[in-house]
Amino acid sequence: MNLVEEKFFKEEAEPILMKYSNEVIKNLIENEDRLKSQIFEVLMNIADRVNQKEEYRIAYINFSLLKISMLNDKYEIIATAYDENWYADEGIEEIFTIGYIFKNLYNIKTEIYNKSKKYVGKIRRSSINYYILRQMTVYNEYLTYFFIKFLKQWDEDTSYKEMPKNENIKILYGEYKDYSETVYYYEEKVKDQKEFEDKGKGSENKELVFSCWPSLKLNNIVIKEKDLTCIYLKEAELENVMFDNCTIVGANFKFAELKKCYFKNCDLGTSDLSESTLEEVLFEDCNLRNLICEGIKSHEVYIKDEKYTKEKIEI
């Protein structure tokens, strides 16, 4: 990219695309149900196709927004499902379109192309396409968030129940055949407290991110300065557990029982506590934004920070 192109992109194209990124997130929020429905329909289609194959069990599913589809205005997401031999398997592919999320991108690209004309051939069309595709990093961050949100309780959906799969199954979202992030992980094996403690002893502090602990029983334990992002603690039984300065964003506590638990200086943003039971639980100086609390049963639950203390969970 030459100096003229760099100047053009920084001064003219970038402000247009940054403004458009706000439109993309707005479209995502307004069309959440539509996108979720498409994702679950694709998962059901994969389940149906796997059931037609003998001795085939899904281990990985990768969703990707296709770069070429962004340039030809098709806006396609491809879902590819693999068994445990993914490196030697072509996989099962499903494609769906999300043009309603990028409904104005064609006009944005046209505006940028038109602005480049005054530079009389010094701005290459290939460079414009490259710069537009660079914005996919932002769009993929948005989509990753929504995939995590939609799939949090996937194990309750018909597509999950009917899909032949390994004991461990992982769903990823990201670049096609490139870097992807985990958006769902489930492990059927029920593990105990010792396994949990051993898993958390690593030095990188990321060992428990997206880890799965269905029906786990924890008692008399302090969990300090750990990253528990998107941890699965569904139907867990936690008693006398202290979470100290932990990141617990997007955690799944659905149907869990928490008794005499203490959360201090923790971020529980977007975590799911629906249908859980809380007894003698204290949240002190915690971030509880967008906490999901439908059907929660609580007794002596306190939320405390520097400004106030209150005795009922009312997020």
Side-chain angles (χ1 to χ4, degrees):
M1 191 176 292
N2 59 50
L3 292 177
V4 175
E5 288 175 334
E6 289 182 0
K7 184 177 188 313
F8 169 74
F9 291 129
K10 183 175 182 179
E11 296 181 1
E12 300 202 47
E14 187 172 298
I16 295 171
L17 290 169
M18 290 299 292
K19 182 178 179 181
Y20 179 67
S21 66
N22 294 329
E23 185 175 331
V24 171
I25 191 67
K26 179 175 178 288
N27 292 338
L28 277 165
I29 292 170
E30 291 177 351
N31 291 278
E32 280 192 56
D33 291 341
R34 184 175 177 180
L35 179 59
K36 182 178 180 180
S37 177
Q38 286 181 289
I39 293 168
F40 278 76
E41 181 179 352
V42 162
L43 291 170
M44 192 71 245
N45 291 343
I46 291 172
D48 291 340
R49 291 175 63 182
V50 175
N51 277 309
Q52 296 172 15
K53 303 182 72 169
E54 292 185 5
E55 298 182 0
Y56 195 92
R57 303 178 71 82
I58 298 298
Y60 305 96
I61 304 174
N62 202 323
F63 286 85
S64 302
L65 179 60
L66 295 174
K67 287 184 177 181
I68 189 64
S69 76
M70 295 294 286
L71 295 179
N72 62 24
D73 305 312
K74 289 186 178 179
Y75 314 113
E76 294 174 328
I77 288 182
I78 184 170
T80 310
Y82 304 95
D83 66 5
E84 59 185 5
N85 300 313
W86 58 270
Y87 49 85
D89 180 19
E90 292 184 359
I92 297 171
E93 293 185 349
E94 290 280 330
I95 293 178
F96 62 101
T97 62
I98 56 170
Y100 56 91
I101 302 298
F102 300 101
K103 57 187 177 183
N104 198 35
L105 185 54
Y106 175 82
N107 295 331
I108 295 297
K109 290 190 291 185
T110 300
E111 182 181 356
I112 293 172
Y113 292 142
N114 289 337
K115 283 182 175 292
S116 71
K117 291 178 181 178
K118 64 185 178 183
Y119 290 84
V120 196
K122 293 181 180 180
I123 309 298
R124 292 166 294 177
R125 194 176 187 89
S126 60
S127 293
I128 294 175
N129 288 341
Y130 169 77
Y131 196 79
I132 288 171
L133 289 178
R134 275 178 49 183
Q135 295 301 115
M136 283 185 63
T137 301
V138 177
Y139 308 148
N140 281 333
E141 286 179 3
Y142 296 161
L143 284 162
T144 297
Y145 166 82
F146 282 95
F147 268 82
I148 291 172
K149 178 180 179 181
F150 297 154
L151 294 171
K152 191 181 297 292
Q153 308 301 344
W154 181 46
D155 55 295
E156 298 178 11
D157 188 70
T158 303
S159 60
Y160 176 88
K161 296 172 183 176
E162 295 191 4
M163 184 181 295
K165 54 192 172 296
N166 282 6
E167 288 186 359
N168 303 350
I169 184 167
K170 180 182 288 189
I171 300 180
L172 304 104
Y173 176 86
E175 296 280 349
Y176 183 59
K177 295 188 177 179
D178 202 337
Y179 176 75
S180 297
E181 291 189 44
T182 301
V183 293
Y184 180 85
Y185 176 73
Y186 187 77
E187 185 177 347
E188 291 182 357
K189 179 185 175 184
V190 176
K191 294 162 284 187
D192 59 24
Q193 180 164 331
K194 184 180 185 304
E195 291 174 282
F196 180 86
E197 292 180 288
D198 289 344
K199 181 78 172 178
K201 286 179 179 178
S203 59
E204 294 184 3
N205 197 35
K206 297 286 184 180
E207 297 82 5
L208 294 169
V209 172
F210 259 110
S211 60
C212 188
W213 307 87
S215 303
L216 177 68
K217 295 182 180 180
L218 291 181
N219 198 338
N220 298 316
I221 180 175
V222 176
I223 303 169
K224 186 172 183 179
E225 297 178 350
K226 287 294 181 181
D227 189 345
L228 309 175
T229 297
C230 294
I231 192 170
Y232 185 104
L233 288 167
K234 198 169 185 176
E235 299 181 339
E237 297 178 21
L238 312 181
E239 186 170 356
N240 293 313
V241 177
M242 178 179 182
F243 296 88
D244 184 3
N245 197 29
C246 293
T247 300
I248 322 177
V249 174
N252 190 350
F253 289 97
K254 192 172 184 180
F255 302 124
E257 294 183 10
L258 284 71
K259 185 175 182 181
K260 297 182 179 178
C261 291
Y262 179 22
F263 295 83
K264 182 179 180 181
N265 194 30
C266 293
D267 187 349
L268 290 104
T270 71
S271 289
D272 192 344
L273 282 161
S274 57
E275 306 297 331
S276 62
T277 301
L278 279 66
E279 183 178 349
E280 296 182 56
V281 176
L282 171 63
F283 298 92
E284 182 176 355
D285 296 325
C286 291
N287 188 333
L288 305 176
R289 70 191 185 285
N290 299 321
L291 203 63
I292 302 170
C293 296
E294 284 85 354
I296 195 171
K297 302 178 184 67
S298 62
H299 176 67
E300 293 189 29
V301 175
Y302 294 84
I303 302 172
K304 180 180 180 181
D305 61 23
E306 293 179 355
K307 297 180 180 178
Y308 64 87
T309 301
K310 59 182 179 180
E311 189 183 342
K312 58 179 180 179
I313 190 162
E314 193 173 17
I315 314 301

